[in-house]
Amino acid sequence: MKHFILGLAATLMITTAQAEPTATGDLGLVIERAKGSVLLVDQSDRAALARIEGLGDLSHASLVYSPDERFAYVFGRDGGLTKIDIVTRQIVNRVVQAGNAIGGAISDDGKLVAVSNYEPGGVRVFDADTLEMVADIPTDSKTIGLVDAPGRRFVFTMWDTGETWIADFAKGAPEITKIPDMGKNPYDALITANGRTYITGLFGEDGLTALDLWAETPEPIRVLPDYGRGQEEMPVYKMPHLEGWALTGREFVLPAVGHHEVLWIDADTLTETGRTKTHGQPVFAMARPDGRQVWVNFAHPLNDTIQVIDSVSKQIIHEFKPGPAVLHMEFTPRGHEVWISVRDANKVMVYDTHSFEKLREIDADSPSGIFFTARAHRTGL
């Protein structure tokens, strides 16, 4: 296989460089937040393959994959957008596009990469091949909840103004639809796998707000308007991630803001169907791919624990403590295993999701987000 010498960043090989082409469907990347690196891992071998360095501030980093699973686009907190070739295990391009970024998305055709910014705010969109900027969309607000939607669209929401915008790139230059009155201080959002329902959580008032993106003119739909932090201000130690939502059959499972519980919501009617009391304030509530289990981790100071909830009974069926500062979980595509980042133990731990047996520990430097290449084929991830 021809190797490309790109010279944009040093790459530390954990194993010798491969001499033959490598399929990417079994691979993934782990964010090593302390040193601006990512760890390339193999699911089947439960092993680290390479460390790729030089990605800047990864203290709140995420990434998306190209449709062919070869390239990863890493969104750093310092505004960096870095394109990685996981076949050659090198950085192929990097731009610092803003002062403070908070995630991104890739269009359904894989041609555009969008980045959501706190400073200077707004969304900037780049050519996925060259990383040349093709659109700058100022919003006069911190921008959160950026997701891809079918039809070469991006959907995102403003913390300061409580608006959601839809940027449609189907005809080239973006056509912007603005939807006001989404609520006070939206903090994160999710989109369903079919691209129809967009839900944003609210920090400044109780409840959530949904949009039906199949509607000719989407209008805000209030969800659980009497639920949230309530009249009595409750401490929030870490904002929950709605991107770590779960869909189990016909119900959403969402982490509650400031409460020790998760919420169950009917996916069709958007009405509450139940609550499950939890060990602490949930950060991620993530469904095993078959929907039968929901795995939940928690905010500091109770972040050494994971609870597993049965989606039929809504009861906790297993609890364990992987170690200090459990930050993220990622299921293998069919859900037989889950990989868990334990930041303060400098480990990624692999568990069987049926027996709950620990199968492997992998050394990693302050690991946080874990992203398998199967995400390349899922809307909103």
Side-chain angles (χ1 to χ4, degrees), residues 147-150 155 189-199 213 245 379-381:
V147 300
D148 58 286
V155 186
L190 63 88
I191 189 170
T192 53
N194 63 2
R196 178 170 186 172
T197 306
Y198 178 85
I199 299 176
L213 298 180
W245 63 288
T379 296
L381 294 179

Side-chain angles (χ1 to χ4, degrees), residues 5-268:
I5 302 175
L6 299 163
L8 292 180
T11 303
L12 173 64
M13 305 308 296
I14 292 179
T15 61
T16 56
Q18 73 270 20
E20 299 296 330
T22 300
T24 59
D26 211 25
L27 303 182
L29 290 170
V30 178
I31 302 292
E32 295 185 305
R33 58 184 290 150
K35 294 192 175 178
S37 57
V38 293
L39 197 64
L40 180 66
V41 296
D42 184 292
Q43 295 173 45
S44 292
D45 291 341
R46 305 189 191 109
L49 304 179
R51 176 172 288 116
I52 303 166
E53 300 177 323
L55 282 79
D57 182 356
L58 300 184
S59 59
H60 194 288
S62 62
L63 63 86
V64 295
Y65 289 103
S66 60
D68 62 4
E69 301 180 355
R70 176 167 183 170
F71 298 104
Y73 301 87
V74 183
F75 310 104
R77 193 58 186 261
D78 57 359
L81 169 59
T82 307
K83 182 178 180 180
I84 295 174
D85 186 332
I86 64 175
V87 173
T88 63
R89 304 175 181 181
Q90 298 184 65
I91 292 175
V92 297
N93 205 347
R94 174 173 165 81
V95 297
V96 178
Q97 56 82 45
N100 189 334
I102 196 66
I106 188 168
S107 59
D108 56 1
D109 63 359
K111 301 296 185 183
L112 301 173
V113 176
V115 189
S116 178
N117 293 315
Y118 274 8
E119 177 60 45
V123 170
R124 288 175 173 165
V125 183
F126 300 83
D127 182 283
D129 183 32
T130 65
L131 295 194
E132 293 180 2
M133 188 164 67
V134 299
D136 186 357
I137 306 173
T139 62
D140 296 321
S141 170
K142 293 179 179 178
T143 306
I144 59 92
L146 171 65
V147 300
D148 58 286
R152 221 174 190 230
R153 295 181 296 166
F154 296 106
V155 186
F156 47 93
T157 296
M158 270 50 78
W159 165 270
D160 299 291
T161 64
E163 292 182 318
T164 293
W165 292 12
I166 303 171
D168 188 336
F169 284 83
K171 297 178 182 178
E175 297 180 0
I176 307 295
T177 300
K178 301 179 181 180
I179 302 165
D181 301 322
M182 292 292 288
K184 185 177 180 181
N185 296 137
Y187 66 86
D188 200 4
L190 63 88
I191 189 170
T192 53
N194 63 2
R196 178 170 186 172
T197 306
Y198 178 85
I199 299 176
T200 183
L202 303 176
F203 189 75
E205 62 182 277
D206 287 350
L208 306 95
T209 305
L211 291 175
D212 181 355
L213 298 180
W214 290 6
E216 188 70 26
T217 305
E219 298 287 343
I221 303 166
R222 295 294 180 174
V223 182
L224 304 183
D226 298 322
Y227 185 85
R229 299 173 75 196
Q231 298 301 316
E232 180 183 352
E233 288 290 309
M234 301 184 66
V236 177
Y237 298 107
K238 182 176 175 60
M239 295 299 291
H241 284 260
L242 286 189
E243 292 174 348
W245 63 288
L247 180 59
T248 61
R250 299 177 179 176
E251 293 174 300
F252 295 123
V253 189
L254 302 175
V257 178
H259 293 261
H260 291 199
E261 58 190 11
V262 296
L263 312 177
W264 300 77
I265 299 173
D266 185 283
D268 294 323

